[in-house]
Amino acid sequence: MRIDEIFRKPYKDPITWSEFLGAENIRAVVKDQRGREIVVLFSSIGPGAYDVIFSVGGLLWATGKGAQFEVYGKLMQVMREFVQKYNPQLITFSAFENVLIPVYNRLVSKFAAEMGYKQFTPPREWLKRLWAKLKRTPDQQYYLKRIG
């Protein structure tokens, strides 16, 4: 399977949604074919703005189990539903492993085009505040802003 197929053949698995502190923190859970939970956390970083992280089977890094296309496909399913349910104006997420950056670049490009977002680079001061709030500095950070 190629990465383009994630967008041509979207998954339609049941997603369990939970909200904490209103819509400040949102959790989505979907299972892969092996029964592992793919957990996607959306943390509010301001009005209409969310930082996204996800784990597979409790791990925040590549599992090496060879199911990356299924995982990314289901992640895109969750992201589509999140955008439809919550209409965020800004979405951020990070790559903490350099090996994932080329994959994320393609996913971001296709997702942004499909869902009405554009990638942008925020002002440096805003970035410093965000990284301080998130308590991390990524290898690569992605920022998507709603168009229109």
Side-chain angles (χ1 to χ4, degrees):
M1 178 184 261
R2 293 185 25 224
I3 204 161
D4 295 338
E5 292 180 41
I6 292 169
F7 293 90
R8 283 198 300 266
K9 299 178 185 176
Y11 288 90
K12 297 187 192 281
D13 295 306
I15 299 172
T16 303
W17 293 92
S18 320
E19 292 183 2
F20 305 93
L21 302 173
E24 291 274 323
N25 294 288
I26 300 160
R27 180 178 188 254
V29 180
V30 63
K31 291 193 177 188
D32 70 6
Q33 291 178 356
R34 296 179 179 139
R36 297 177 302 175
E37 286 189 341
I38 300 168
V39 178
V40 185
L41 299 174
F42 302 89
S43 297
S44 176
I45 56 173
Y50 291 88
D51 184 63
V52 182
I53 61 170
F54 73 97
S55 66
V56 180
L59 301 174
L60 291 171
W61 54 85
T63 64
K65 305 267 184 187
Q68 68 269 23
F69 291 110
E70 178 188 7
V71 169
Y72 292 133
K74 291 187 178 194
L75 176 62
M76 290 298 99
Q77 175 194 358
V78 169
M79 293 296 294
R80 285 182 188 104
E81 286 192 31
F82 175 74
V83 166
Q84 290 171 352
K85 286 175 80 118
Y86 296 96
N87 192 30
Q89 298 304 301
L90 176 70
I91 300 172
T92 71
F93 69 96
S94 308
F96 287 96
E97 295 181 47
N98 283 324
V99 69
L100 296 176
I101 291 172
V103 174
Y104 283 11
N105 286 343
R106 295 204 45 214
L107 287 173
V108 166
S109 166
K110 290 192 171 289
F111 173 80
E114 176 187 309
M115 298 304 295
Y117 288 83
K118 70 175 183 174
Q119 193 170 353
F120 76 103
T121 303
R124 192 160 190 69
E125 285 305 311
W126 188 88
L127 291 174
K128 286 180 185 177
R129 285 193 309 273
L130 173 65
W131 293 339
K133 183 174 184 172
L134 298 176
K135 297 183 173 92
R136 62 184 186 194
T137 303
D139 293 326
Q140 175 71 39
Q141 183 80 24
Y142 298 90
Y143 307 91
L144 300 175
K145 187 175 185 178
R146 177 68 104 183
I147 300 170

